[in-house]
Structures are given as structure tokens and as C-alpha cells.
Amino acid sequence: MILVTGGLGFIGSHASVSLLNAGYDVLIVDDLSNSSIDVLDRIEAIAGRRPLFEQMSLLDETRLADIFQRHHPSAVMHFAAFKAVAESIQTPLAYYNNNIGGTLALLSRMQIAGVRSFVFSSSATVYGSPATLPIKENFPRSATNPYGRSKLIVEDILTDLVASDPSWRIANLRYFNPVGAHESGLLGEQPRGTPNNLMPYLLQVAAGQRARLDVFGSDYPTKDGSCVRDFIHVVDLAEGHVAAIRYLKEHVGMTSFNLGVGRGISVLELCEAFERSTGQSLPRQVAGRRAGDVAECWADADKASAELGWQATRGVEVMCQDAWRWQCYLDRREDSRETSGEPAK
Ligand code: UD1
């Protein structure tokens, strides 16, 4: 039984499907602060099995203790966290409380229960503005906002924990830019309010819900002046987590892995790929730079390939097509709710 925190969120829901497909039993813990309960039905529809589910915050220590006692998980995958950079600058205490406090409560409970295998959702944001590319796992780390710092601090806590007790098995996974959706079109990213990230915003523009995409910056020292990122299909990312769970069976200590494709794609290239692969037009205009963006960021993915035996296989066209299928599903659902008078979730 794998305990998946934040298992109804964008990445956690795909990881839950991959775990179920690989034969693991899954217990999802999610407080629904940025997800909805019907994701559980869709995970079941895709995987053919329903994960166990508990709606709760990790900060509820009594319930957390009860869950470990009743279910005896063999490993924990920890996705539950806030992730919006701008919001983290407005409400740093909420970010530190949830992202660090929640992780501390979870790790403390694992220690008491004797559960020592942990997969952590970190981010390429911990590399700040890299001096050279591609980015390797041993590059210096830094943070420029509370969200990034919360990831950095948890990484340091995990390092200290392993130093105190080398029987811990920790895979620290640094995600590059997860996009795309499950190929069924039933799972994907569903941000509340105006999306901050590129792909969800782009999808709403293509769906006609927003007038146009602002491309933030055209004067970066990159191939076409727009920023370059390592966009990775969320199902590839999810499969990387299954590889990490298998890896932890054989390895003690803490190891960090980049989960990326290992290739940089510019914002403009992504827009073109989207139009080409979906046939949808994407009205866009060049806008000023967004504060805090780095020009280029892509992974050296060799370590994950060599040690986890995992690499991303889905190309940018598939990322765009799957994401578009998900957007169409959301739009159809919205339409049927409007006709039936049902409130949107
Ligand atoms: C962002 C966060 C990062 C976090 C990650 C996952 C910032 C600075 N970084 O990464 O810490 O780990 O999300 O949540 O917020 N873009 C546009 N128009 C848009 C939206 C984005 O041109 O409407 C551009 C951005 O300038 C950037 C690229 O698209 O160059 C990707 O942006 P985004 O999807 O927000 O990801 P990151 O900024 O790479």
C-alpha cells in the first residue's frame, strides 16, 4: 500500500493511476484545497480500481496517526503542497505552514510508524538561475520566493533526516515543467481562478475563454527571444515516480533526480506545436517579461535514465494533443452542467 498525499491533484492523480496500473494498492490523502472529489471516480474509471481515500489535512496529527495505524503503508509519495509563486509572496506563512509543516507532520508520523520510504515532489525551481545548461543534480541551489524556499527547506530537512538515520530511503524528485494530461482526457490540470502557468492558460485561450495569450518576454538571449523550458508529459512524470518506488526497494539514503525530458523548448515553439498538433488557433501577443522568470531551464536527465531506468518518451505534440483532449472534456462537462443547472465544482 502506497500512501499518496495530494493524490487528487494534477501530478498526484496521474501518479496514482500509474501506481494502480503497476499493481500497487493506493491510499490517497487530500484536503481538497486545490482539487475536487470527482477526480477519484475518474482515477477509478481509468485504472479499473478505486484507491482508498481520506479527506484530511496532514496537519491533523490525530487522523494522520490513525491512518498509519489502520493502513500500514509501505511507502509515502508526498505531493500535497501549495505551488503558486505569486501567491507564496503574498502569503508566505500559509506556504511555510502547509508545505513545511505538512511535511514535518508526515515525516514525524512515518518515523513513529517505522515507515522509511519517501518520494518527495521537489521542483527545478531549486536551481534558481543556472550558470550553465543542462542542469545537473549537483548544481547549486537557491530560492527567490517562499514557494521555492519551501521546497529547498524540505530538501534540507530530508538531508538532515537521512544523516540522523541512514535507514531512510528517500527519492527527491525535481520536476521540470509538467504539462499534458492523461490520454483518456479524464485527468489533467484544473487550476482555480486565472491560471498562472503557461499550458493551462494557453488551453483556455484555445477554448475561447480568454482573448489571447501574453508571451512574457521576447528579448531573452534564447533561440527566438522567448523563455525556454523542459516541458515534460505528466504521464511520463508519473511513471518516473513508479520507477522511484522500485529504486527505493534496492537503495537506502537520499538521492535527488531531475525528472525532465532533457530538451529545451521555447514558449513560442510550444505555441506553434500546439497549433500544429491540435489544429486550433492560438491568438497571442508579445508582452513584457514576467518578474522572476529565468531565461532557460532544462534538465540533464541522464542520472534518472542510468539509475532509475526511466526516461520520458512522449513528445511535445502528444503533450499538446492530450492537454487539448482534457480541455475539451472540461468544456463538455461545463456545458452539460449549464444545461442541467448543476453547480460547477
Ligand atoms: C513556474 C514557477 C516554478 C514552479 C512551476 C510549477 C515561476 C517564476 N516559476 O515555472 O517555480 O515550480 O511553475 O508550478 O512562476 N508564460 C507566458 N505566458 C503565460 C504564462 C507563462 O509566456 O501566460 C511563460 C513564462 O514566462 C515562462 C514559461 O511560459 O517562460 C513557463 O511558465 P510557467 O508555466 O509559469 O512555468 P515556470 O515559470 O517555468
Side-chain angles (χ1 to χ4, degrees):
M1 167 83 64
I2 312 288
L3 172 59
V4 181
T5 77
L8 298 185
F10 176 42
I11 303 173
S13 60
H14 288 85
S16 295
V17 166
S18 293
L19 284 169
L20 290 164
N21 286 344
Y24 293 94
D25 292 327
V26 172
L27 163 62
I28 291 176
V29 166
D30 196 304
D31 66 0
L32 302 185
S33 61
N34 193 25
S35 58
S36 61
I37 187 66
D38 55 305
V39 173
L40 197 59
D41 297 333
R42 289 185 263 128
I43 292 173
E44 182 182 10
I46 295 168
R49 280 196 298 146
R50 192 174 181 84
L52 296 176
F53 174 66
E54 299 276 351
Q55 180 182 347
M56 59 165 282
S57 160
L58 296 175
L59 297 169
D60 184 340
E61 294 189 20
T62 313
R63 283 196 64 195
L64 196 58
D66 176 56
I67 278 174
F68 272 81
Q69 236 161 26
R70 278 191 291 127
H71 298 287
H72 305 290
S74 58
V76 175
M77 264 186 203
H78 181 37
F79 297 97
F82 295 154
K83 61 159 197 172
V85 172
E87 187 184 62
S88 80
I89 296 167
Q90 303 301 318
T91 56
L93 295 182
Y95 270 67
Y96 290 130
N97 188 42
N98 190 48
N99 293 9
I100 299 175
T103 308
L104 281 176
L106 183 61
L107 292 168
S108 304
R109 184 47 51 189
M110 287 178 68
Q111 190 165 50
I112 293 166
V115 181
R116 293 280 185 277
S117 296
F118 189 68
V119 179
F120 180 59
S121 291
S122 190
S123 165
T125 195
V126 301
Y127 295 118
S129 188
T132 58
L133 291 155
I135 297 171
K136 286 181 179 294
E137 285 83 353
N138 60 6
F139 275 24
R141 300 172 313 139
S142 65
T144 54
N145 56 68
Y147 160 73
R149 193 162 296 110
S150 74
K151 294 293 176 189
L152 209 80
I153 291 171
V154 170
E155 288 198 353
D156 290 342
I157 290 170
L158 295 173
T159 306
D160 290 343
L161 185 60
V162 169
S164 76
D165 175 357
S167 73
W168 277 90
R169 296 162 184 259
I170 298 177
N172 178 42
L173 306 182
R174 295 182 180 140
Y175 311 151
F176 281 68
N177 285 62
V179 295
H182 192 267
E183 61 177 5
S184 62
L186 293 177
L187 287 182
E189 188 168 11
Q190 201 175 355
R192 295 199 169 147
T194 307
N196 303 305
N197 297 118
L198 177 60
M199 183 59 98
Y201 199 99
L202 177 161
L203 292 170
Q204 293 187 3
V205 172
Q209 294 163 14
R210 300 188 186 275
R212 68 188 63 79
L213 175 75
D214 282 336
V215 174
F216 296 141
S218 59
D219 56 352
Y220 285 101
T222 60
K223 46 187 158 187
D224 57 21
S226 66
C227 290
V228 171
R229 294 289 182 274
D230 187 335
F231 296 101
I232 174 171
H233 196 296
V234 64
V235 174
D236 279 328
L237 192 71
E239 288 170 356
H241 288 72
V242 177
I245 283 284
R246 292 191 176 126
Y247 173 90
L248 292 183
K249 277 216 143 258
E250 313 293 330
H251 298 83
V252 290
M254 171 169 166
T255 317
S256 298
F257 292 104
N258 286 341
L259 294 190
V261 173
R263 198 179 59 234
I265 293 175
S266 76
V267 172
L268 291 175
E269 283 174 336
L270 185 75
C271 294
E272 284 154 19
F274 182 84
E275 290 189 322
R276 201 170 56 239
S277 57
T278 64
Q280 301 300 310
S281 72
L282 196 62
R284 53 191 178 272
Q285 66 186 9
V286 165
R289 291 183 178 196
R290 183 175 69 177
D293 276 341
V294 302
E296 298 190 290
C297 174
W298 72 87
D300 182 326
D302 287 354
K303 186 177 175 190
S305 168
E307 296 185 33
L308 294 180
W310 165 90
Q311 54 193 27
T313 59
R314 294 162 178 85
V316 65
E317 271 84 15
V318 176
M319 297 177 205
C320 292
Q321 285 162 352
D322 289 344
W324 180 240
R325 197 173 299 118
W326 161 245
Q327 181 65 42
C328 294
Y329 168 81
L330 283 179
D331 291 348
R332 275 198 311 278
R333 224 171 52 143
E334 204 50 45
D335 285 350
S336 67
R337 283 219 176 94
E338 267 165 28
T339 342
S340 69
E342 209 186 305
K345 272 186 201 157

